[in-house]
Amino acid sequence: MKHGFEFLGDPSDYSRATGRGILYWVLKSESINTYGMSGSSSSKQKQSTPEAKKSLSRNPDRQVGRPAKDVRSQNGQGAMVQKSKIVSSSKTAPDNSPLSSPKSYNSSAKGLVVKSSEVYLKPSISVTDESKMSSLSVIEHIKDEKPSSEANGEPNEDCDDDKPLSARRPSGLSKVNSNHGKKGPHASTSGQRPTIPKPEDSDDEIPLSSKFQVKSNAGLSLHRPAGSGERTPLLSRHDQNGSASTERKPSNNPKKRPGDDIKTADEVLMKKPKISDTSKHKSKEASVKAEMKEEDDEDLVPISHRKKKPTSSDKKSLSYKNMTKPKTSISKKTNKKQKMVMKNSKYSFKVPPGSGHGEKWTTLVHNGVSFPPSYKPHGVKMLYKGKPVNLTPEQEEVATMYAVMLDKDFLNNLQFKENFMSDWQKILGENHIIQSLEHCDFTPIYEWHQKEKEKKKKMTTEIGLEGDETLLEKKALKEKKEQQEEKYKWAIVDGVKERVGNFKVEPPGLFQGRGEHPRMGKLKKRIRPSDITINIGKDAPIPDCPISGESWKEIRHDNTVTWLAYWNDPINPKEFKYVFLSASSTLKGQSDKEKYEKARRLKNYIQGIRAAYTKDCTSKDMTKRQIAVATYLIDKLALRAGNEKDDDEAITVGCCTLKVENVEPLPPNILKFDFLGKDSIRYERELEVEIAVFKAIQQFRSGKKDGDDLFDEIDTSKLNAHLKSLMPGLTAKVFRTYNASFTLDDMLSRETKGVDVVENIAVYNHANKEVAIICNHQKAIPKSHDAQMLRLDEKIEELKGVVEELQTDLGRAKKGKPSLKSGDGKTTRNLNPDALERKLNQTTAKIEKMEREKETKDDLKTVALSTSRINYLDPRITVAWCKRHEVPIEKIFSKTLLAKFVWAMDVDPDFRF
DNA sequence: GTTCTGACTTGATTTGAAACTG
DNA sequence: CAGTTTCAAATCAAGTCAGAAC
């Protein structure tokens, strides 16, 4: 039996043709084993509600939870292929650490084996191009063995497990995808599409990604829900003015931390400041007091240094141990070779943030938060029943929030209007003239707002034209604002100056929410100092309250958490809004690194885990069976865990909260998924799964209604508790990180052939795209997408015309005749044949380049690469690959990402995930 | 065992400015 | 070089998950 996927449809073709893309791939797996499933499901249902929930899933149209966005289409692609392999034999030793032996890694991956029944993988990759999809079927069965390596933690590369999910994906994955299209109604589609030939081989080997992959263009299409095409715009988050500036003056200007400034890639790459040893880390600046003064800024240890992760021992010492005052020396770079360090060091895992225990810092100094400017009444009167109405500044402020959104269509949403009116009336008072939104005419305010916008725009453009004075004034204004904010941008953590992430308090506005949120339209009231709790070092000066006459709600000195301040969410008082350090901070960097290390550790266990859940899919114990199937879906489809949600949130689901109506079994072994996931992003795919899984799903559905929970016996805490029994620290989300990073590493290693940087970058982006598809990271189609495509077409046509002309001229030139069109002024005049030929080649190459560009653009119109790059792909994979192939790292990482990933810059070029 | 709280990560969209183009 | 286009950064919503409280 082999497994393969079959592509049911070519998304790309389809999508191009229709505009929406959908794909269907199916995996075919031949060998699936069937287990018998037993039983029926029982069910307990969770409380869910029936109806409401139901709806979501069902209609595609509805999908949309989002208000309006469009649908994204795409998606799809998905082909997943993979294969699974099984390894039989394999189990093999785990051994090697990836670091050390990359090679082995590769090789191993491919190998497969077969266990008798199980299967194999095959190495062959056939993926051809990108598109290839892979198919996989997979089953990997895993050996029964237990993970051997676990203990060590070293990854074993050999196993299939190593393979990226995609690759592995057993059977599962085949995907199909669909969607593409835009949102709505159209989009969907379920139908099948013609089959596409699958690539020859399926790639079984391919990583998950491959599974999902889309074909070239085909990507998946994702749709967005919303039926309509439009998305609703978010509400305005704030007023325009709003940006925050504080009125205060800046007090100190700290210098930036080294890290913050971004270095050039070269610098980053090259200089490795090696971490030296741990000690270095420790060294923090002594200056504890940290004055925020500038002084040191730089001094503060270079970021890079800091970031490095201490070895385990270091960490310990560091963190938990010395809480004493930091002393720091600034060691400038120590140079040791970091490499060495990295290599040798095992990663230690420190207490993960959030874990509750563990101190996160010893000294913490910061200046609090920056508040948005107070509201400045404009005096423009709205109309009520055609007559101007006088409003107090408070009332006018809220009216303006609404008026500004007049051009957004979610003002057509009943829920939004009801919520808005209800909150506004509280401010208007009971006997106010305004009693109904229907009679309100906000147009005057809207128009005033538009004019203000214009004015602002003009001003900025006029700057250049105006005299120096104006220019200076504006610049000065901008600088002043920046200066005012400057003090809030930095914190000194254990003597090191670190950037603060969101130091601005969120301005008041109307809550929009994503999808069909029950609270949309509610007023997000202005946050005042008395709402805010500050967390700061015991010895640090308490920040002045920026608003005179007011004071902070509370001051805490809790070093077991990383937040600098928080306030209760005005929309849902049970929740909080936190101010944290920025992603480039040492604290966040460490935690990020730990996240990836945990995912890497999963490599050593994955084989055993897969074997276990494969086996448990036929368990007689319903709970066990549900956990097994859920784990399968999380592993193979990269689904999120799926926590329970409150009634006052948009209805979305994850794995554990899938409803019966969200998963439709299509015999013999295809599962059609259709649900709204996080952010009300629709997940719509058809995937071939192992027979045992298919049967289990059928059982879980039996006797239930559409809105009932598919997995009625489990929830995320039970699932995670089980996962933890398989590997320390393992939770559902680790699978996403693992599969994403594994896929990237695998695809890069297999597909990088180019010599030239441009080609290599294309390979990287392709791998990145596959990951995005696996994770279902979508984006709205850019408004100007069609126009962009059109423009490209025009340019291509124009160039084609040029080519024809050149060919004609060339023919004539060879015969010694003059060019035909010289009169036209275009191009070529009478050039000699060689020159013409050269020009012809150049133009042809240009056309090809534009066509590729167009294809890529269309292909990525609904796929968001950034999310995975920021959150799921181990930056060390990217950095190491860049080093190996001489691709400048800044071609892949933006300035901010370079800062965020400083800790990964000195990775050894041989690093493998 | 379940629910609640709290803290932190993940995510799409919006904003704003740099880069590009005619 | 002005208008546009593109891309990164900012924004803030929405998840995950641990641990405390029932």
Side-chain angles (χ1 to χ4, degrees):
Chain A
M1 13 190 122
K2 349 181 100 200
H3 307 305
F5 279 101
E6 197 169 294
F7 186 174
L8 296 182
D10 173 335
S12 34
D13 295 352
Y14 180 68
S15 52
R16 295 197 183 115
T18 63
R20 22 171 119 189
I22 301 184
L23 307 178
Y24 288 79
W25 307 53
V26 176
L27 190 14
K28 359 177 111 198
S29 40
E30 312 180 348
S31 56
I32 307 195
N33 16 338
T34 356
Y35 302 142
M37 309 270 217
S38 40
S40 44
S41 34
S42 55
S43 34
K44 9 169 105 194
Q45 308 250 103
K46 293 178 156 208
Q47 43 201 65
S48 38
T49 13
E51 311 205 329
K53 309 182 162 197
K54 302 184 163 196
S55 27
L56 289 181
S57 3
R58 305 186 169 163
N59 303 321
D61 301 343
R62 1 167 131 195
Q63 54 188 57
V64 174
R66 296 170 159 245
K69 290 181 145 211
D70 307 318
V71 174
R72 304 143 163 253
S73 35
Q74 253 246 108
N75 64 188
Q77 14 227 344
M80 336 197 117
V81 171
Q82 284 248 321
K83 43 218 32 349
S84 32
K85 339 262 342 320
I86 310 215
V87 168
S88 43
S89 44
S90 46
K91 310 178 116 272
T92 354
D95 20 327
N96 341 304
S97 65
L99 293 181
S100 43
S101 47
K103 304 183 169 176
S104 46
Y105 175 74
N106 297 333
S107 47
S108 48
K110 293 123 171 265
L112 44 91
V113 175
V114 176
K115 250 186 171 183
S116 50
S117 32
E118 325 230 21
V119 177
Y120 33 178
L121 338 184
K122 115 162 325 85
S124 39
I125 309 186
S126 37
V127 176
T128 26
D129 340 272
E130 35 198 39
S131 359
K132 297 223 119 251
M133 351 254 275
S134 21
S135 35
L136 2 145
S137 30
V138 169
I139 316 197
E140 303 189 333
H141 287 0
I142 312 203
K143 326 169 147 229
D144 314 340
E145 329 173 337
K146 48 175 23 329
S148 46
S149 40
E150 323 188 353
N152 330 324
E154 312 257 321
N156 7 317
E157 319 233 340
D158 306 19
C159 321
D160 295 349
D161 300 352
D162 307 350
K163 303 165 162 244
L165 284 201
S166 24
R168 302 158 321 31
R169 291 189 163 218
S171 20
L173 308 165
S174 43
K175 73 191 343 35
V176 169
N177 335 316
S178 35
N179 327 267
H180 319 354
K182 307 214 67 297
K183 359 189 118 243
H186 336 356
S188 64
T189 336
S190 23
Q192 325 254 89
R193 279 104 220 305
T195 331
I196 298 181
K198 46 175 59 193
E200 333 264 352
D201 1 349
S202 25
D203 324 330
D204 301 346
E205 326 179 328
I206 308 186
L208 276 199
S209 39
S210 35
K211 304 178 166 197
F212 290 105
Q213 269 181 266
V214 176
K215 271 184 129 299
S216 51
N217 314 303
L220 324 168
S221 27
L222 314 174
H223 305 332
R224 252 194 184 188
S228 46
E230 328 227 348
R231 47 154 43 283
T232 29
L234 294 187
L235 298 183
S236 53
R237 302 171 164 198
H238 17 43
D239 283 342
Q240 324 241 121
N241 323 328
S243 27
S245 43
T246 336
E247 317 193 350
R248 309 175 113 244
K249 284 198 118 183
S251 38
N252 336 325
N253 314 320
K255 304 185 165 191
K256 325 177 142 218
R257 316 151 74 228
D260 299 320
D261 306 334
I262 307 221
K263 332 175 152 182
T264 61
D266 291 341
E267 290 179 295
V268 178
L269 289 179
M270 312 248 112
K271 6 181 108 181
K272 338 178 123 229
K274 309 247 92 237
I275 308 187
S276 29
D277 37 42
T278 45
S279 36
K280 308 176 168 196
H281 288 299
K282 308 179 147 217
S283 49
K284 308 315 215 36
E285 307 294 320
S287 48
V288 175
K289 318 300 263 28
E291 312 284 325
M292 304 248 307
K293 302 253 328 343
E294 28 281 275
E295 23 194 2
D296 328 8
D297 308 11
E298 319 227 342
D299 326 352
L300 306 187
V301 182
I303 302 181
S304 39
H305 286 76
R306 305 151 15 7
K307 305 210 160 182
K308 283 150 167 229
K309 175 180 227 106
T311 56
S312 45
S313 49
D314 295 345
K315 296 184 162 197
K316 297 180 169 185
S317 43
L318 253 189
S319 16
Y320 312 90
K321 290 184 172 169
N322 349 311
M323 301 294 284
T324 51
K325 313 281 210 88
K327 330 239 40 255
T328 320
S329 41
I330 300 184
S331 37
K332 296 254 178 131
K333 336 196 123 233
T334 51
N335 313 299
K336 280 255 294 13
K337 312 187 152 221
Q338 286 187 260
K339 289 187 170 183
M340 311 283 282
V341 177
M342 299 279 280
K343 290 183 162 187
N344 307 323
S345 58
K346 277 24 219 38
Y347 304 90
S348 51
F349 300 93
K350 65 177 2 173
V351 181
S355 58
H357 300 326
E359 286 138 2
K360 309 286 199 310
W361 47 267
T362 302
T363 64
L364 173 62
V365 182
H366 63 84
N367 287 314
V369 294
S370 165
F371 288 87
S374 55
Y375 181 68
K376 297 184 186 63
H378 47 67
V380 176
K381 295 182 174 34
M382 56 172 288
L383 309 176
Y384 187 71
K385 292 188 176 171
K387 295 179 181 168
V389 186
N390 287 321
L391 297 175
T392 64
E394 293 72 36
Q395 295 165 350
E396 181 193 284
E397 180 178 15
V398 180
T400 304
M401 292 171 187
Y402 190 87
V404 162
M405 306 198 306
L406 242 41
D407 52 1
K408 322 265 174 174
D409 63 22
F410 56 80
L411 286 200
N412 296 324
N413 185 297
L414 200 62
Q415 174 84 267
F416 187 94
K417 293 201 280 194
E418 277 176 13
N419 287 335
F420 165 73
M421 200 56 195
S422 161
D423 282 358
W424 191 33
Q425 285 192 304
K426 288 176 197 158
I427 293 174
L428 291 172
E430 285 195 5
N431 300 314
H432 200 277
I433 293 185
I434 297 176
Q435 290 295 326
S436 159
L437 194 55
E438 297 308 305
H439 297 124
C440 290
D441 181 358
F442 296 90
T443 314
I445 299 180
Y446 173 76
E447 287 174 350
W448 163 82
H449 172 252
Q450 295 300 100
K451 274 183 206 150
E452 289 295 302
K453 254 176 28 184
E454 279 298 303
K455 238 195 248 173
K456 217 172 174 181
K457 209 167 161 189
K458 249 187 185 166
M459 279 175 60
T460 57
T461 53
E462 279 171 8
I463 290 178
L465 302 175
E466 298 286 308
D468 285 340
E469 222 171 62
T470 307
L471 185 62
L472 287 177
E473 243 176 54
K474 301 223 151 186
K475 266 191 180 170
L477 268 173
K478 193 177 175 189
E479 274 170 24
K480 190 177 167 193
K481 188 175 168 188
E482 277 177 8
Q483 269 189 347
Q484 290 179 328
E485 292 182 347
E486 183 69 16
K487 65 181 281 198
Y488 300 109
K489 288 185 178 168
W490 308 95
I492 299 181
V493 184
D494 291 349
V496 177
K497 192 170 179 178
E498 303 273 12
R499 215 178 232 288
V500 177
N502 52 330
F503 57 89
K504 292 181 187 172
V505 170
E506 294 175 20
L510 300 183
F511 177 79
Q512 185 3 172
R514 294 168 189 175
E516 289 295 327
H517 198 116
R519 302 203 185 211
M520 65 168 85
K522 286 183 66 66
L523 173 64
K524 277 202 307 182
K525 63 156 195 156
R526 184 175 290 271
I527 303 301
R528 334 177 96 252
S530 56
D531 296 317
I532 300 178
T533 297
I534 298 285
N535 189 36
I536 197 162
K538 261 200 163 86
D539 299 328
I542 291 171
D544 295 334
C545 176
I547 298 180
S548 59
E550 301 203 33
S551 55
W552 304 116
K553 178 178 183 181
E554 186 185 343
I555 301 294
R556 280 197 215 161
H557 308 290
D558 184 354
N559 75 350
T560 66
V561 295
T562 66
W563 52 267
L564 308 183
Y566 85 81
W567 62 89
N568 287 83
D569 180 352
I571 293 299
N572 186 349
K574 286 190 236 166
E575 299 192 330
F576 316 106
K577 293 286 196 176
Y578 293 92
V579 172
F580 291 115
L581 293 174
S582 80
S584 62
S585 65
T586 307
L587 217 45
K588 293 277 194 190
Q590 276 177 352
S591 139
D592 212 27
K593 183 172 182 178
E594 281 152 16
K595 170 183 76 184
Y596 290 114
E597 281 306 302
K598 185 188 280 182
R600 286 180 82 209
R601 271 192 295 156
L602 177 54
K603 254 181 100 171
N604 303 323
Y605 297 83
I606 195 71
Q607 207 175 311
I609 289 171
R610 288 177 175 154
Y613 68 58
T614 300
K615 178 159 169 260
D616 288 347
C617 280
T618 54
S619 168
K620 293 256 181 337
D621 179 332
M622 177 60 89
T623 302
K624 214 169 180 180
R625 198 157 9 120
Q626 291 194 356
I627 284 182
V629 174
T631 307
Y632 174 93
L633 297 181
I634 285 169
D635 182 25
K636 302 305 180 188
L637 309 189
L639 298 190
R640 295 186 185 81
N643 284 313
E644 295 288 332
K645 298 187 71 179
D646 287 344
D647 294 339
D648 54 3
E649 297 177 276
I651 301 170
T652 61
V653 302
C655 185
C656 293
T657 45
L658 282 169
K659 304 297 180 260
V660 166
E661 63 188 345
N662 297 138
V663 187
E664 185 187 343
L666 305 175
N669 63 337
I670 292 171
L671 293 180
K672 179 179 175 185
F673 290 84
D674 190 354
F675 61 89
L676 296 186
K678 181 177 179 179
D679 292 326
S680 293
I681 294 294
R682 189 177 181 185
Y683 185 98
E684 185 185 20
R685 295 179 185 179
E686 288 184 19
L687 304 165
E688 183 169 332
V689 299
E690 293 184 31
I691 292 293
V693 171
F694 183 83
K695 289 188 173 173
I697 293 286
Q698 285 181 314
Q699 289 163 2
F700 300 157
R701 285 168 51 97
S702 73
K704 294 181 189 170
K705 290 177 295 192
D706 280 358
D708 292 345
D709 286 325
L710 182 67
F711 296 107
D712 54 286
E713 303 248 327
I714 62 174
D715 59 24
T716 54
S717 68
K718 283 177 185 156
L719 176 65
N720 282 335
H722 173 253
L723 294 177
K724 245 167 230 28
S725 71
L726 302 176
M727 179 189 114
L730 184 61
T731 63
K733 73 180 230 168
V734 179
F735 285 92
R736 291 193 113 209
T737 309
Y738 166 77
N739 282 135
S741 287
F742 186 90
T743 299
L744 176 73
D745 193 47
D746 182 74
M747 288 187 71
L748 289 180
S749 69
R750 289 189 291 101
E751 300 186 3
T752 310
K753 308 175 175 112
V755 239
D756 105 51
V757 172
V758 174
E759 263 173 58
N760 285 336
I761 289 174
V763 168
Y764 186 90
N765 287 335
H766 178 243
N768 192 161
K769 177 183 124 187
E770 295 311 315
V771 172
I773 289 168
I774 290 170
C775 294
N776 201 33
H777 290 148
Q778 305 185 9
K779 69 177 182 189
I781 296 178
K783 291 183 246 344
S784 58
H785 180 77
D786 288 349
Q788 288 176 34
M789 297 304 277
L790 214 60
R791 216 173 317 132
L792 282 171
D793 278 337
E794 284 168 4
K795 283 186 189 168
I796 290 171
E797 282 310 306
E798 191 183 315
L799 288 174
K800 282 182 177 168
V802 172
V803 167
E804 274 180 37
E805 207 175 286
L806 286 169
Q807 282 169 336
T808 306
D809 289 349
L810 181 59
R812 295 175 63 88
K814 283 180 177 168
K815 295 175 189 166
K817 299 178 183 171
S819 153
L820 274 181
K821 285 193 132 166
S822 34
D824 238 56
K826 272 194 171 171
T827 66
T828 71
R829 279 218 182 195
N830 302 310
L831 298 174
N832 63 46
D834 281 353
L836 284 170
E837 195 130 22
R838 235 176 297 126
K839 192 136 193 165
L840 191 58
N841 289 337
Q842 283 173 354
T843 310
T844 307
K846 204 167 173 183
I847 289 174
E848 283 171 6
K849 188 184 165 198
M850 293 191 81
E851 284 179 333
R852 273 198 304 271
E853 193 182 310
K854 185 186 159 203
E855 199 170 322
T856 302
K857 183 162 274 187
D858 196 45
D859 202 19
L860 294 177
K861 65 175 183 264
T862 60
V863 181
L865 302 189
S866 61
T867 306
S868 49
R869 212 172 280 196
I870 295 169
N871 301 301
Y872 289 103
L873 302 177
D874 188 332
R876 292 171 297 184
I877 296 168
T878 302
V879 174
W881 175 82
C882 281
K883 288 177 178 176
R884 292 197 297 273
H885 301 282
E886 301 185 325
V887 174
I889 188 69
E890 71 270 19
K891 293 274 185 196
I892 310 284
F893 288 152
S894 65
K895 193 172 78 162
T896 328
L897 284 187
L898 285 174
K900 170 175 179 170
F901 298 141
V902 200
W903 60 269
M905 295 301 161
D906 54 352
V907 67
D908 190 283
D910 295 331
F911 175 88
R912 293 304 303 265
F913 183 73

